[in-house]
Amino acid sequence: MSTQPPLLFALDLIGTFVFGLNGALTALRVTHLDVVGVVTLGMMTALGGGVIRDVLIGAVPPATFLYWPYFTLAVAGALIAFVLNRWLDRVGMSITVLDAVGLSVFAVIGASKAVEFGLGAGPAMLLGVITAVGGGTIRDALVGQVPTVLRSELYAIPALVAAAITVAAIGLDVYGLAAALGAVAVCFAIRMLGVRYNLNAPRPPGFSETS
């Protein structure tokens, strides 16, 4: 099984489940897919970023195919979204909160795994972000949307911050459960501030929402 600390591994599994849920809900809102299509998009959202990371660093087969909880929870989240989608729409904010947890944990785990495989600071931070946002980007592309990471409240930036904190902690030899959870908390806080106050990354001078 995973060598991560138990709490971080548990959060990783929660993030996998929630991303599966969110991916399937997105598919249901913008398409008329059947259960196979909905589950497929849910799985891609939950697992896509980690698979891309593992392939790029040579950790094959990817962890998704080695540890059954990842695959199982991604499918479970997608199926729950398919069955309970109307009820889940009514609690959208709570799902957004859990999505932020998944984003935060995936950024930290992605960056730490990249360093473990010998990558430098820059590539490790990049792979932390890819782990966090890669699955959602694949999902959005498949349903014909501009990826969320390019158009909504702060999303990639908090993931990058968490990855940078992780890489710095490893470089200073102070990385552990406390440092990992600290990076997760910072990412989560920035993401939720972006949602709460509709904050976005800087846009071109003169840009307006109606342009």
Side-chain angles (χ1 to χ4, degrees), residues 1-104:
M1 290 299 292
S2 173
T3 58
Q4 301 170 39
L7 179 56
L8 204 59
F9 181 54
L11 290 174
D12 190 15
L13 295 179
I14 291 171
T16 300
F17 173 79
V18 172
F19 275 3
L21 196 70
N22 278 4
L25 284 175
T26 299
L28 289 166
R29 289 177 184 139
V30 302
T31 67
H32 299 287
L33 297 177
D34 62 14
V35 63
V36 175
V38 169
V39 170
T40 298
L41 285 180
M43 290 175 59
M44 287 184 175
T45 305
L47 307 174
V51 170
I52 293 171
R53 176 205 63 217
D54 287 351
V55 170
L56 289 175
I57 64 178
V60 292
T64 294
F65 305 118
L66 294 176
Y67 306 132
W68 64 266
Y70 292 111
F71 183 86
T72 302
L73 288 172
V75 173
L79 287 174
I80 289 172
F82 183 80
V83 175
L84 301 178
N85 66 90
R86 292 185 180 178
W87 180 81
L88 290 170
D89 276 340
R90 300 184 194 131
V91 292
M93 187 57 193
S94 64
I95 295 174
T96 300
V97 171
L98 291 175
D99 175 74
V101 173
L103 177 82
S104 306

Side-chain angles (χ1 to χ4, degrees), residues 106-116 124-125 127-128 131 162-163 166-167 170:
F106 284 178
V108 172
I109 291 172
S112 63
K113 188 167 184 177
V115 173
E116 180 184 340
M125 288 188 290
L127 282 175
T131 305
T166 301
V167 170
I170 294 173

